[in-house]
Amino acid sequence: MPLRLPDRLPAIDLLKQENIFVMDATRAHSQDIRPLRIVILNLMPLKVTTETDLIRLLSNTPLQMDIAFMKLKSHTPKNTPIEHMMMFYKDFETLSREKFDGMIITGAPVEQMDFEEVNYWDEITQIFSWARTHVTSTLYICWAAQAGLYYHYGIPKYPLEKKMFGIFPQRTLVSQLPIFRGFDDEFMMPHSRHTELRRSDIVADQRLTLIAEGSESGVSMVMARGGREFFVTGHLEYAFDTLDKEYRRDMALGRTDVGLPHNYYRDDDPSKGPLVTWRAHGNLLFSNWINYYVYQETPYNIDEIR
């Protein structure tokens, strides 16, 4: 089944070129189905790229979804046209009066700052708190995962000596969870970060369950509140060329602290292009989250979400 997307959203044409079935709001209104309501708080600088990455994965389910995009009132993005933001995004103040079956909060390029130093920290923590009573299940990604664990559970982040950059193997620790249905015992996950969470902090808090980790990349997935919160430190939503663009950007800037992304290029040769090893599990993760932790758990009357 397709996603219901705002008319003229750039991702619609991009995904149709990939033969992915999406539907604009005008056509979707003719179908008498209660779609799942999913809100995306997109904190990434390149909004259209992140929108497309997430919608690509959300579209790979048999459920119809109504997608809304949330923006912060306390922060103005510099890399996305204001016209795009005005057309497709709504402030938290507006959306806070509504309830949603699922929510995705993305990473942000602020991970090397202390949380409280981020200029929108007060607003985003209001959103974290609001989500607990207005959303059935929330998926926190990368910096948002660190920020959510810090705000809700007091879990700190730690600086890395070298950027965690590339594709790293992860192993499932609680393989019987529905979020891992169809997963192999080991799966690959893209990472691109300068900070980390530590296993000892996670397992010491009985409210949290460490559900996946990598021997090199460390904590990768944490679950809380029976699946109403998932915290993912990597990027299973990444497109095949995201790390390539990041690597070439850093090289053009003369960065010497970032090397070749691990396990990414064929034969570790950028001229040979990326070898995609995470796409299948990325699709599975989002499909399982939508099905088992959103669709199967959310009330038909959305106002009953508590």
Side-chain angles (χ1 to χ4, degrees):
M1 293 287 282
L3 305 184
R4 290 171 46 159
L5 301 172
D7 292 342
R8 300 190 301 279
L9 184 75
I12 293 175
D13 288 335
L14 293 171
L15 292 171
K16 282 182 177 178
Q17 292 172 18
E18 299 180 26
N19 201 30
I20 292 175
F21 184 25
V22 294
M23 179 185 296
D24 62 29
T26 301
R27 181 179 175 190
H29 283 314
S30 65
Q31 298 191 335
D32 187 18
I33 299 171
R34 158 147 134 69
L36 294 175
R37 301 197 68 218
I38 308 296
V39 61
I40 298 173
L41 175 56
N42 185 359
L43 303 172
M44 293 296 282
L46 301 177
K47 305 295 184 191
V48 174
T49 298
T50 304
E51 292 161 11
T52 305
D53 287 347
L54 292 173
I55 290 169
R56 181 184 293 112
L57 292 172
L58 291 173
S59 69
N60 196 36
T61 76
L63 302 169
Q64 188 178 123
M65 285 171 268
D66 193 350
I67 307 296
F69 294 100
M70 179 185 289
K71 65 183 176 73
L72 299 173
K73 197 170 184 178
S74 54
H75 177 73
T76 301
K78 300 177 182 178
N79 299 288
T80 302
I82 188 65
E83 294 82 6
H84 183 88
M85 301 301 297
M86 292 176 65
M87 181 174 291
F88 300 116
Y89 284 72
K90 295 180 180 179
D91 290 334
F92 167 61
E93 185 178 1
T94 300
L95 293 175
S96 66
R97 297 188 286 270
E98 304 178 29
K99 292 193 175 183
F100 294 88
D101 303 294
M103 183 173 193
I104 299 171
I105 307 177
T106 74
V110 294
E111 63 163 320
Q112 291 178 287
M113 301 171 62
D114 290 340
F115 293 117
E116 292 85 357
E117 292 179 355
V118 175
N119 62 5
Y120 48 78
W121 181 247
D122 288 344
E123 184 177 9
I124 202 170
T125 55
Q126 288 180 342
I127 296 171
F128 290 168
S129 181
W130 166 86
R132 286 195 149 185
T133 55
H134 289 72
V135 179
T136 296
S137 183
T138 302
L139 181 61
Y140 295 79
I141 298 174
C142 197
W143 178 82
Q146 296 180 341
L149 284 166
Y150 176 74
Y151 175 72
H152 290 307
Y153 303 101
I155 302 297
K157 64 178 179 178
Y158 302 89
L160 291 167
E161 291 185 5
K162 185 177 181 181
K163 184 179 181 179
M164 191 70 62
F165 187 42
I167 315 300
F168 298 92
Q170 317 295 316
R171 61 190 178 94
T172 59
L173 302 179
V174 194
S175 58
Q176 67 271 25
L177 287 174
I179 195 72
F180 292 133
R181 283 202 180 142
F183 268 61
D184 298 315
D185 292 335
E186 187 175 272
F187 63 100
M188 305 299 283
M189 180 183 286
H191 286 267
S192 179
R193 52 186 168 82
H194 295 273
T195 56
E196 68 174 352
L197 303 171
R198 290 186 179 166
R199 186 184 213 277
S200 56
D201 294 329
I202 303 297
V203 299
D205 192 322
Q206 295 184 351
R207 297 170 295 176
L208 301 174
T209 304
L210 178 62
I211 61 175
E213 65 180 348
S215 58
E216 186 174 355
S217 56
V219 172
S220 59
M221 292 181 61
V222 177
M223 185 179 77
R225 301 173 66 222
R228 293 198 68 177
E229 294 167 346
F230 284 97
F231 305 91
V232 182
T233 65
H235 290 280
L236 280 170
E237 80 283 4
Y238 268 3
F240 77 97
D241 60 349
T242 303
L243 292 184
D244 178 64
K245 290 177 179 177
E246 187 173 337
Y247 170 71
R248 295 181 189 280
R249 179 202 66 197
D250 289 344
M251 293 302 98
L253 292 172
R255 295 279 300 271
T256 58
D257 59 329
V258 179
L260 201 69
H262 290 260
N263 305 316
Y264 180 57
Y265 293 117
R266 298 173 187 271
D267 301 322
D268 283 334
D269 183 350
S271 69
K272 294 183 178 181
L275 179 66
V276 179
T277 56
W278 67 93
R279 181 180 292 150
H281 286 100
N283 279 293
L284 269 176
L285 177 76
F286 277 76
S287 295
N288 287 344
W289 174 64
I290 285 291
N291 184 22
Y292 298 114
Y293 296 91
V294 180
Y295 176 66
Q296 301 292 346
E297 299 296 331
T298 201
Y300 183 80
N301 181 355
I302 201 167
D303 292 327
E304 294 178 3
I305 295 174
R306 299 288 186 269

